[in-house]
Amino acid sequence: MNTTPLSAPAVLDRIRVVLSHPSHPGNIGAAARAMKTMGLSHLVLVNPKAFPDAQADAMAAGATDLLVQAEVADSLAEALSGTVLAMAMTARRRELAVPALWARDGAAELVAMAATGDVALVFGNETSGLSNDELAMCRRWAMIPVNAEFSSLNLAAAVQVLCYELRLAALDPGLPPAISGAGLLASHDEVEGLIAHIERAAVSSEFLDPASPKRLIARLRRMFSRAGPEKEEVAILRGLFAALEKGLCAPSGVDTAKSSRKVDN
C-alpha cells in the first residue's frame, strides 16, 4: 500500500463537488467560481434544469473551464460511482443517520479519505435539498453552523464555505499515518453491491419479506457507514453470502432455507 503523502493539489483533485438537481444555472456558474478560487476542479451535476446555459457562464466569472469539463449524471448513484466516501451537506435531521459533523470536521474527514481514493461532497436542490433516498446514499453528512435565527444560505455560498474548509484541510500537512496492515477502503459501488447481495439473500431465505421490508436496508447502510469496510472485508462478506445462497439451493431432506425467526427491523 502506497503511504506517500499527497500534495494539496493532488488531494483536491480527488474531491468531486456534486450538485444534485440544481434549478438555477447561475448557481452552477457561481459554484464553479467558488471551487476554482479554492483549487477544486471536479464538478458533477445531477439532472440540472438548465445546462449548459449563458447565465452559468456569466456567473462563473472566468471559471468556465470547470463548466466545460463538468460531468452531467442521470442519478446521484452515477455521480458517486467510484468514490470511497460521499458526504451530504444538509440541515435536515433524519432517522437512522450516523452522527452529523460540522463543516470543518467534515472537510477534514473528506481530505483524509481522499488519500485513499475519490470522495464526493454532495449538495441538494436550492429549494428542496437532498431527498431521503439521496441522503441514504451518503455515508456521512455535515452542516454549516449558521445563525439559528437566519439560516438561509445560497447554494453557491454554501459551496464556497465548504471549498474554503477543504482547502484549509488539504494545506495542513498533519494527515494521520496509515494503519499498519490496513487495506484499501471499499468504494461506494462495492458497498452498495454488498447491501444488494444481503437483501437478495435475506429475501431468498425468507428472513425478509420484500412486501414489508421495514428499515432493514436503511439500518444496513447506517452500519456500513459507521464501519467503513475495506475491499477485502466486502469481498469476504460477498463470498459468505454467495456460499449461503448456494447452500439454500442445494437439495436436502430437511428444509433449512426457512427460518421461524423473522426480521424485526
Side-chain angles (χ1 to χ4, degrees):
M1 181 177 177
N2 184 10
T3 58
T4 304
L6 296 175
S7 65
V11 167
L12 295 176
D13 282 345
R14 289 185 172 184
I15 301 175
R16 304 178 192 178
V17 175
V18 180
L19 307 184
S20 183
H21 297 83
S23 57
H24 301 295
N27 282 332
I28 297 175
R33 178 181 182 180
M35 291 171 59
K36 189 166 185 177
T37 59
M38 295 298 153
L40 289 95
S41 59
H42 195 165
L43 176 63
V44 184
L45 308 173
V46 178
N47 283 324
K49 186 175 181 180
F51 185 81
D53 189 273
Q55 188 176 4
D57 293 343
M59 293 300 292
T64 52
D65 54 325
L66 269 65
L67 300 180
V68 170
Q69 66 192 29
E71 298 177 25
V72 178
D74 292 329
S75 66
L76 183 58
E78 180 184 341
L80 298 182
S81 179
T83 60
V84 297
L85 176 66
M87 184 172 295
M89 292 303 303
T90 179
R92 182 189 306 172
R93 277 69 168 172
R94 60 188 178 99
E95 293 184 347
L96 298 178
V98 294
L101 296 170
W102 289 123
R104 179 156 295 181
D105 298 323
E109 185 169 322
L110 278 174
V111 165
M113 291 296 292
T116 67
D118 286 357
V119 298
L121 181 63
V122 184
F123 296 85
N125 172 267
E126 293 92 331
T127 303
S128 57
L130 294 165
S131 69
N132 288 333
D133 288 342
E134 288 177 320
L135 287 171
M137 296 186 68
C138 299
R139 295 193 202 172
R140 303 290 273 151
W141 62 296
M143 306 168 64
I144 297 173
V146 295
N147 178 7
E149 296 179 1
F150 188 73
S151 59
S152 177
L153 193 63
N154 175 268
L155 172 60
V159 172
Q160 183 72 80
V161 170
L162 265 297
C163 287
Y164 168 76
E165 294 292 353
L166 288 166
R167 183 168 183 81
L168 282 186
L171 290 172
D172 182 356
L175 293 177
I179 300 172
S180 177
L184 295 175
L185 286 171
S187 69
H188 169 81
D189 301 335
E190 289 165 334
V191 174
E192 285 296 307
L194 171 60
I195 291 171
H197 196 161
I198 294 174
E199 182 178 16
R200 186 170 63 249
V203 171
S204 65
S205 66
E206 298 187 8
F207 180 76
L208 175 66
D209 180 1
S212 181
K214 298 183 181 178
R215 300 182 179 182
L216 176 62
I217 303 306
R219 289 185 184 278
L220 287 174
R221 280 201 172 97
R222 183 172 184 250
M223 179 180 70
F224 288 124
S225 294
R226 294 197 310 268
E230 297 174 359
K231 289 179 178 291
E232 283 191 8
E233 294 166 341
V234 168
I236 290 170
L237 291 174
R238 291 294 297 268
L240 171 62
F241 280 100
L244 292 174
E245 287 177 312
K246 189 175 181 180
L248 288 173
C249 296
S252 173
V254 179
D255 185 1
T256 58
K258 295 184 179 180
S259 170
S260 60
R261 178 175 173 269
K262 296 294 184 179
V263 63
D264 180 14
N265 49 32

